[in-house]
Structures are given as C-alpha cells and as structure tokens.
Amino acid sequence: MFTIRKMATIGLIALTVTGSTLALSTDAEAHNNFGAGLATGLAGGALLGGAFASAPPTRTVVYGPPVYAEPVYGAPVYATPAYGAPVYAPYVHCHTAWHQNHYGQFYQVRACAD
C-alpha cells in the first residue's frame, strides 16, 4: 500500500537521479562539471537521508528477559532395529599389485587372499 511518505520518497529518489544525470555532461561535452554533479548528489543524499531518518519505525519488537531451559537428559534407548540385526560380510584382505606382461608393460591387478 502506497502512502504519502512512500510516494514522496520515490519522488525524491527520482529527482536525485534525474538531477545528477542532467548536472553531469555527456562524454561528447567533456567539461569540468564534476562539482555540480557532486553538489547535486550530496543534496539529494541529504534529502533522502533526512526522509529516512525522520520516518518512525514500522514495527517495534519488544523482547523480554532471556529464558534458559534446562536440558532433558535420560538414559539412552538401545533397541534392535526393526529389520533385524546387522549382518557383516567377512573381511577379505585385498591389495593392489603390479604385474608385467611379456611386452614389458606394467599393469595393476587386485590380489585377494583366500
């Protein structure tokens, strides 16, 4: 919902941008107009800053004193999973070994102990 204050703020922003654009020259007319653009930007910034500073807060949040809750500790609950006890595969000791073919090229093989 737009209020008068919001419309005035939007108008001031548009006025500041337009004034800064008009105060500065284009590249084709490269004159020393830096001071005019700087003054316009500062004036627009001051107007917008004053508008934002004078606006009351939209919502005030009031917090009470801090509240600390005691943690609830109990005995851990261990139960057998619904799908049964875990089944572990026997450990097979495997390692990587380098072998050489009859051409003299090396290649890796996986060697597992039985």
Side-chain angles (χ1 to χ4, degrees), residues 7-99:
M7 290 300 290
T9 304
I10 292 171
L12 286 174
I13 291 172
L15 180 67
T16 303
V17 171
T18 305
S20 298
T21 305
L22 293 177
L24 296 175
S25 300
T26 62
D27 290 338
E29 303 173 10
H31 299 294
N32 190 9
N33 286 337
F34 177 75
L38 181 66
T40 305
L42 288 175
L47 287 173
L48 285 176
F52 286 133
S54 66
T58 57
R59 180 176 55 146
T60 304
V61 179
V62 178
Y63 295 105
V67 177
Y68 300 102
E70 289 292 326
V72 178
Y73 295 113
V77 178
Y78 297 108
T80 306
Y83 50 82
V87 177
Y88 297 104
Y91 178 72
V92 179
H93 178 69
C94 296
H95 66 278
T96 303
W98 287 93
H99 284 256

Side-chain angles (χ1 to χ4, degrees), residues 94-106:
C94 296
H95 66 278
T96 303
W98 287 93
H99 284 256
Q100 187 176 11
N101 62 11
H102 60 281
Y103 296 112
Q105 298 169 338
F106 286 97

